[in-house]
Amino acid sequence: MTTKTEFISKSAARSVSESTTAIDSLRATDQVNILIVDDEPSNLTVLETVLNDPSYRMVRAQSGEECLLALLREDFALIILDIHMPGMSGFELAQMIKQRQKTAVIPIIFLTAYYSEDQHVLEGYGTGAVDYLHKPINATILRSKVSVFTELYRKTRECAIANDRLLAEVGERRKAQEELLRLNNELESRVDQRTAELLQAHAALGESEERLRLANEASGTGLWEWNLQSDSIHWSPECYTIYGLKPGEFDGTGEGFFNLVHSDDRGPIREAIATSVVDQTPFFVDFRVVRPDGCVRWVTARGRAYYDSYQQPVRMICTLIDITSRKEAEVVLRDADRQKDEFLAMLAHELRNPLAPIRNAAQILLLKGSEIPELQWAREVIDRQVHLMTRLVDDLLDVSRITTGKLELRTQIVDLAQVVRAAVETSLPLIERDQHQLSLSLPAEPVVVNADVIRLAEVFSNLLNNAAKYTERGGRIELRVEGGLTDAAISVKDSGIGISKEMLPRVFNLFTQVDRHLHRNQGGLGVGLTLARRLVEMHGGTIEAHSAGLNMGSEFIVRLPLISQSVSVPRSESEPSARPAAASRRVLVVDDNEDGAKTLAMMLRVMGHEIRTAHDGVAALEVAEVFRPEVILLDIGMPRMDGYEACRAIRQKPWASSIRIVALTGWGHEEDRRKTRDAGFDDHLTKPVDSEVLIGVFGRARG
């Protein structure tokens, strides 16, 4: 490293070298100015001839005035001055030259042919002349004297140049020293500042490490570092606690770590760590550890590997947290969720059983065709309330099935107009009851989607029902379908009570109702919009709610992906003309609910069918043996012999091959439908059942 002294010495040497080079260059290229003053041109010519030298530049002056003007314009190394001149003598001119500071140092050589006395010589020297020569001049002597004075001029000029450069270098050195001093002070200041920052950072790091230690200790989080090259693992105290070990009982090796893992989980955690190292990604894995006392604990591990400059893994850092309590809570939650599903299924079953005879009774009143207004009104009330109760039960079960992933869509290629018309048909009684004005806008061309017709119609029916319920009597409801390039937009807009800004983000949450005030209570459990959103998402679409605020109406927009317009749309089965009445059938009704069996039998007799009843599976088998029915409506949950066993037993009879056996039950899950298919049932209907559905079932019976 170059020291400050060396730097300055080198700078000085460099300056001297540069000065020498400059002087040599000056000698090689510059001429020396010599001013010759004489009133006789011939004398000037003689002087130019005698002093003819490439290094000299001769400047003429024929009077004192010309001489003074030349001295103002240029610098001269020597003045050769004639004494005897008209106007201003050489002595007078010399005195004037010496009085001027700039020209006082210029050597003057007097030339004269007249003033040869000593007094004249003394006067000449007194004016400041350096020499006094008499004419005729000895050319050699003159050249010698001129050479001495010009060389002296050159030396003086060179010294001046060297002196200027030296002064400049001294100034530069002083500046360099000042800059070095400044830099040194700045460096010392920065070192002091950096030292203070490092001390502060070190203190902060210590505090951070202490906080981390306290946090790990409080949360029970264990830290371990695995040196992959030496296969050594360092554990924090929390790791010993998690594994139920005392300090020193862990051998600190990778194999020792895996040996503490439950045997069923060693493979997955080895694979997770290996994948993390290869892919250079963090790993997240839950596994079980076995403590020395045999106790099994659940642990979650989060970590990653670190690599050297050659991208070779050198170490791994990981955190461990005991999540046994969380795992146990998850088991409790799963059990609770299962129990909830079982409860909802049981609730639906128990609610449908009493609804069935009520619906049957209402159907009997309809079929009897009573003209008494009060009876007609009572039948309509019963039918509406049964329909509402059935819908509430279905919504509860649907939400449960969707949230648990048990609901499956039965999709088909369909025109949205068909789905919308089905939804309108379902919701029209509620809309007409409150005298709303419904505006339906459908595109002229088919808008084709891949959808479950029933479930999608349920979405639009839910939106229409909400619009009807939350709009004052005589309001406006608009349903618009528009097809785009990639998706279709279905809008349901109303002039109702609207949705507040606070409620809008939560309107699709489960069990949320827009307005719970008693005077606005429209019934329902607050699951309709939740169900609508889930079903739309299952179709690959989106649903959003808009409202300008309370009493400003609301709009719900459903967007569904379109499929190619070139796909043909199958003809809807719901479009044919009215279904013809089924032929009279021999029907066996089996239900342990006597009201349900009796009302269903009565309704079917009114419809013109021959009916027998039984209240358990054993009795059903005995009655069927004698009655030989064409259709059996068979409940599932019954004493002595349930519906599954009864169906299997009947199917084994040689006379039962053509009988259409229909499960008529309060159980409606997909699993329940699978069980009835496996048992040999032809159809599965959930209570309460509509008479039109039964007509369709009887129409498919053989015989």
Side-chain angles (χ1 to χ4, degrees):
M1 179 180 294
T2 302
T3 64
K4 182 163 64 176
T5 304
E6 291 173 341
F7 172 76
I8 294 173
S9 299
K10 289 179 179 179
S11 298
R14 184 167 61 250
S15 177
V16 172
S17 174
E18 291 174 354
S19 299
T20 303
T21 302
I23 291 170
D24 292 341
S25 175
L26 185 65
R27 287 176 171 174
T29 59
D30 288 355
Q31 289 181 316
V32 174
N33 292 333
I34 300 175
L35 180 59
I36 52 177
V37 185
D38 200 311
D39 59 329
E40 291 293 337
S42 58
N43 293 337
L44 295 175
T45 301
V46 171
L47 288 173
E48 288 175 345
T49 303
V50 170
L51 299 176
N52 184 26
D53 189 300
S55 64
Y56 299 157
R57 175 173 171 266
M58 311 301 292
V59 178
R60 288 186 174 197
Q62 293 183 245
S63 65
E65 290 78 3
E66 289 184 10
C67 174
L68 293 175
L69 288 174
L71 290 171
L72 291 175
R73 289 193 299 267
E74 300 181 73
D75 293 331
F76 293 91
L78 177 66
I79 300 175
I80 301 176
L81 179 58
D82 184 30
I83 297 175
H84 184 68
M85 292 187 300
M88 185 184 301
S89 69
F91 294 143
E92 294 174 338
L93 180 58
Q95 289 177 348
M96 294 182 66
I97 292 172
K98 293 300 181 179
Q99 290 173 357
R100 186 166 174 261
Q101 184 177 0
K102 181 181 178 183
T103 58
V105 296
I106 301 176
I108 299 174
I109 298 177
F110 280 122
L111 296 180
T112 182
Y114 304 101
Y115 301 97
S116 58
E117 290 82 2
D118 290 341
Q119 62 179 12
H120 295 131
V121 174
L122 291 174
E123 185 180 357
Y125 283 114
T127 59
V130 296
D131 212 338
Y132 198 96
L133 300 179
H134 297 278
K135 297 179 182 178
I137 300 168
N138 186 316
T140 303
I141 293 174
L142 179 61
R143 279 196 293 271
S144 175
K145 291 182 179 291
V146 169
S147 174
V148 169
F149 288 118
T150 55
E151 184 64 23
L152 178 62
Y153 174 79
R154 286 193 180 96
K155 292 292 186 181
T156 302
R157 188 171 60 175
E158 291 170 3
C159 287
I161 293 173
N163 185 64
D164 290 342
R165 290 187 176 274
L166 183 58
L167 290 175
E169 181 60 28
V170 169
E172 289 297 325
R173 287 171 56 186
R174 185 179 293 109
K175 290 181 181 179
Q177 288 177 332
E178 292 173 354
E179 181 66 16
L180 286 172
L181 180 61
R182 186 189 66 79
L183 292 174
N184 184 62
N185 293 336
E186 182 180 341
L187 179 60
E188 290 179 354
S189 175
R190 296 173 76 175
V191 168
D192 292 341
Q193 180 182 356
R194 184 58 178 162
T195 301
E197 291 175 353
L198 289 174
L199 290 174
Q200 184 178 0
H202 181 72
L205 179 60
E207 293 176 1
S208 176
E209 290 178 346
E210 178 64 14
R211 286 196 297 269
L212 178 61
R213 186 191 66 78
L214 293 175
N216 289 337
E217 183 178 339
S219 64
T221 301
L223 294 174
W224 59 265
E225 181 175 350
W226 185 4
N227 188 319
L228 299 175
Q229 296 178 332
S230 64
D231 190 31
S232 60
I233 295 178
H234 172 72
W235 270 10
S236 70
E238 289 75 22
C239 291
Y240 285 98
T241 303
I242 292 172
Y243 282 84
L245 299 174
K246 296 179 182 179
E249 291 184 345
F250 174 53
D251 64 5
T253 65
E255 196 59 33
F257 164 77
F258 289 114
N259 288 337
L260 296 173
V261 176
H262 192 284
S263 58
D264 293 341
D265 297 340
R266 289 173 189 166
I269 192 173
R270 285 181 186 271
E271 182 178 355
I273 291 176
T275 302
S276 170
V277 171
V278 173
D279 296 343
Q280 298 191 11
T281 56
F283 70 87
F284 308 91
V285 62
D286 295 346
F287 59 94
R288 290 164 292 176
V289 299
V290 183
R291 289 181 169 179
D293 60 2
C295 177
V296 176
R297 306 291 294 180
W298 274 98
V299 173
T300 184
R302 304 289 184 268
R304 62 169 302 164
Y306 294 86
Y307 305 80
D308 60 17
S309 57
Y310 299 99
Q311 294 302 304
Q312 295 299 313
V314 293
R315 63 181 179 136
M316 177 170 285
I317 296 178
C318 178
T319 63
L320 295 174
I321 301 177
D322 189 325
I323 58 169
T324 305
S325 298
R326 192 189 79 188
K327 289 291 185 179
E328 292 172 348
E330 289 175 357
V331 172
V332 172
L333 287 175
R334 282 195 295 270
D335 289 343
D337 189 61
R338 177 182 53 79
Q339 292 173 6
K340 177 212 57 174
D341 290 341
E342 293 174 355
F343 168 76
L344 287 176
M346 180 63 69
L347 177 65
H349 177 266
E350 295 302 322
L351 288 175
R352 281 174 173 150
N353 274 331
L355 287 175
I358 297 174
R359 166 65 69 83
N360 295 338
Q363 292 290 323
I364 292 170
L365 291 175
L366 175 65
L367 293 171
K368 285 293 186 179
S370 173
E371 297 180 358
I372 302 174
E374 289 81 0
L375 288 179
Q376 292 180 354
W377 173 83
R379 185 201 63 78
E380 291 173 357
V381 170
I382 294 171
D383 194 59
R384 281 198 303 271
Q385 297 307 314
V386 168
H387 183 270
L388 177 59
M389 284 293 295
T390 304
R391 188 180 187 87
L392 290 176
V393 172
D394 289 341
D395 283 353
L396 275 175
L397 290 176
D398 284 344
V399 170
S400 176
R401 285 197 287 264
I402 289 176
T403 55
T404 56
K406 296 178 181 178
L407 183 67
E408 296 181 1
L409 298 180
R410 299 177 181 178
T411 60
Q412 64 184 70
I413 307 302
V414 63
D415 181 4
L416 265 180
Q418 174 189 339
V419 181
V420 169
R421 290 191 184 99
V424 170
E425 182 179 349
T426 301
S427 301
L428 197 58
L430 181 59
I431 296 173
E432 291 178 342
R433 184 197 70 183
D434 291 335
Q435 300 178 0
H436 296 312
Q437 180 182 353
L438 175 63
S439 171
L440 180 62
S441 176
L442 299 175
E445 298 296 325
V447 179
V448 185
V449 296
N450 187 29
D452 184 319
V453 177
I454 295 176
R455 293 299 182 183
L456 198 55
E458 187 177 350
V459 170
F460 301 141
S461 178
N462 260 329
L463 298 179
L464 287 170
N465 288 347
N466 275 354
K469 288 193 297 183
Y470 294 104
T471 300
E472 298 292 348
R473 180 178 293 272
R476 298 186 314 278
I477 301 175
E478 300 176 11
L479 195 160
R480 177 183 297 274
V481 179
E482 295 179 346
L485 294 176
T486 59
D487 59 13
I490 305 93
S491 166
V492 177
K493 188 176 183 180
D494 62 61
S495 60
I497 66 173
I499 307 171
S500 67
K501 182 194 296 186
E502 296 76 18
M503 180 61 68
L504 201 58
R506 299 186 288 115
V507 74
F508 292 105
N509 292 352
L510 189 61
F511 303 128
T512 296
Q513 291 184 321
V514 172
D515 195 331
R516 290 185 177 272
H517 293 140
L518 293 178
H519 70 282
R520 284 276 175 85
N521 191 359
Q522 299 291 339
L525 299 175
V527 300
L529 288 178
T530 302
L531 181 61
R533 182 180 65 178
R534 299 291 177 84
L535 288 173
V536 169
E537 290 173 349
M538 291 178 69
H539 281 83
T542 61
I543 182 172
E544 53 193 39
H546 301 275
S547 178
L550 293 177
N551 299 316
M552 300 293 289
S554 59
E555 182 180 15
F556 289 83
I557 301 176
V558 176
R559 300 186 187 278
L560 296 170
L562 295 175
I563 60 174
S564 173
Q565 292 286 348
S566 62
V567 177
S568 60
V569 181
R571 189 173 62 87
S572 171
E573 296 183 359
S574 61
E575 293 177 0
S577 57
R579 188 196 309 274
S584 177
R585 299 290 186 181
R586 294 190 308 278
V587 182
L588 173 59
V589 177
V590 186
D591 196 331
D592 62 332
N593 184 323
E594 294 188 12
D595 285 342
K598 187 177 294 185
T599 53
L600 181 57
M602 184 181 297
M603 182 183 73
L604 294 176
R605 286 193 183 97
V606 173
M607 293 171 64
H609 302 289
E610 184 179 354
I611 308 300
R612 297 288 187 277
T613 60
H615 301 302
D616 61 59
V618 175
L621 193 59
E622 294 172 352
V623 173
E625 183 78 37
V626 177
F627 182 52
R628 303 293 174 88
E630 298 172 272
V631 179
I632 300 177
L633 301 178
L634 185 58
D635 190 21
I636 299 298
M638 296 183 297
R640 295 210 294 170
M641 180 186 292
D642 64 28
Y644 300 123
E645 296 177 10
C647 181
R648 293 189 184 96
I650 293 172
R651 286 299 186 200
Q652 292 177 0
K653 302 297 181 179
W655 44 264
S657 59
S658 62
I659 297 177
R660 191 165 195 88
I661 304 178
V662 180
L664 185 57
T665 176
W667 303 102
H669 278 107
E670 289 296 325
E671 179 66 15
D672 301 321
R673 296 178 184 276
R674 184 191 62 78
K675 288 181 179 179
T676 55
R677 287 195 301 270
D678 294 344
F681 285 89
D682 296 296
D683 297 292
H684 185 113
L685 303 179
T686 54
K687 299 176 183 178
V689 65
D690 190 88
S691 59
E692 288 295 321
V693 176
L694 289 176
I695 291 174
V697 170
F698 294 168
R700 293 193 293 273
R702 287 171 288 179

